[in-house]
Amino acid sequence: MFDQHERAHLYTLAGSQSSLPERECQLLRPAVHAMLEALMPLPACVVNARLDILAYNATYGRLVADLDTMAFEDRNSLWLMFTQPAWRAAVVDWDDAVPRLVAQYRAGMAAHVGEPVWKCLLKRLQDASPEFREMWDRHEVETPENRTKQVLNPHVGMLNLDFTHLYFGPRIGTRLTTYTPADEQTAARLRELAELTVRAAA
């Protein structure tokens, strides 16, 4: 694992900057942030083709662990899955969901193969996780699909969620992802989780 200084050095050597996800977040229009808040208590986030989490509402921020405590460059779906035990424990269908995510990253990288920030993330993941390296070496590609996933939340229990991708443009890239309850029990638990986040912020 790299500390923040080693990460900064790695990005510098690659001709990139570790603050790129933060800059992309700052470029999001206020209307996008308003939309995220309006979707409460449904978890929702904005991710780019690199799977960086650029913005999210309070429920998504506590869907697994507290995203607010993590550095911007670590708010990446792949990085969280392969390096954060809490995220791994929360993904019930790991053997299906995570290889799909790796395949999506490989597919997305085809259009960005020469870009340093993509190569930097790939190197970080390969250095940090033998399991990621094994999945990457399968050379599988896949585009994001609307699916159902199970998340084991540490506060409210099992959540069965239908997630939907809404793209900001015609090309596969930055998108709004919403998570809607697949059953009444999940709907009630999402409301409970939203209430917990409000109380925690008070």
Side-chain angles (χ1 to χ4, degrees):
M1 297 285 182
F2 299 110
D3 63 24
Q4 62 179 349
H5 304 295
E6 291 169 330
R7 283 200 303 270
H9 180 61
L10 176 61
Y11 278 95
T12 300
L13 289 175
S16 184
Q17 296 182 24
S18 60
S19 61
L20 181 59
E22 184 173 4
R23 294 202 309 275
E24 290 187 38
C25 177
Q26 293 168 349
L27 291 174
L28 291 176
R29 297 174 59 190
V32 174
H33 293 280
M35 188 184 306
L36 289 170
E37 292 307 310
L39 286 167
M40 289 282 290
L42 301 182
C45 65
V46 175
V47 298
N48 60 17
R50 205 168 45 249
L51 303 176
D52 296 318
I53 303 168
L54 303 179
Y56 50 89
N57 62 15
T59 312
Y60 185 88
R62 296 295 180 92
L63 191 60
V64 175
D66 189 354
L67 272 178
D68 290 342
T69 64
M70 299 180 183
F72 273 98
E73 63 266 27
D74 291 341
R75 295 179 194 173
N76 174 277
S77 297
L78 282 173
W79 183 256
L80 293 170
M81 294 292 187
F82 284 102
T83 68
Q84 300 297 316
W87 284 75
R88 184 183 183 109
V91 180
V92 177
D93 55 345
W94 171 275
D95 291 336
D96 177 64
V98 177
R100 288 178 182 274
L101 207 60
V102 174
Q104 289 171 25
Y105 187 77
R106 178 177 281 281
M109 193 170 183
H112 304 274
V113 68
E115 295 180 20
V117 69
W118 284 74
K119 293 190 291 186
C120 282
L121 177 58
L122 178 60
K123 178 171 174 52
R124 287 185 70 198
L125 287 162
Q126 289 174 324
D127 289 346
S129 173
E131 191 170 15
F132 172 83
R133 291 199 301 272
E134 187 276 323
M135 292 185 191
W136 183 258
D137 289 342
R138 297 176 191 175
H139 295 275
E140 296 172 345
V141 293
E142 188 168 321
T143 56
E145 297 178 348
N146 300 330
R147 302 176 63 86
T148 299
K149 70 187 303 182
Q150 290 183 306
V151 175
L152 183 59
N153 182 271
H155 303 291
V156 299
M158 186 68 70
L159 300 170
N160 298 309
L161 300 164
D162 294 324
F163 63 95
T164 304
H165 302 297
L166 302 172
Y167 289 90
F168 286 11
R171 297 179 59 190
I172 293 177
T174 303
R175 58 192 181 268
L176 171 70
T177 301
T178 60
Y179 296 79
T180 54
D183 52 62
E184 287 300 320
Q185 186 176 52
T186 295
R189 288 175 174 174
L190 283 179
R191 290 192 293 270
E192 181 183 353
L193 181 59
E195 291 170 1
L196 288 173
T197 62
V198 170
R199 289 201 295 270

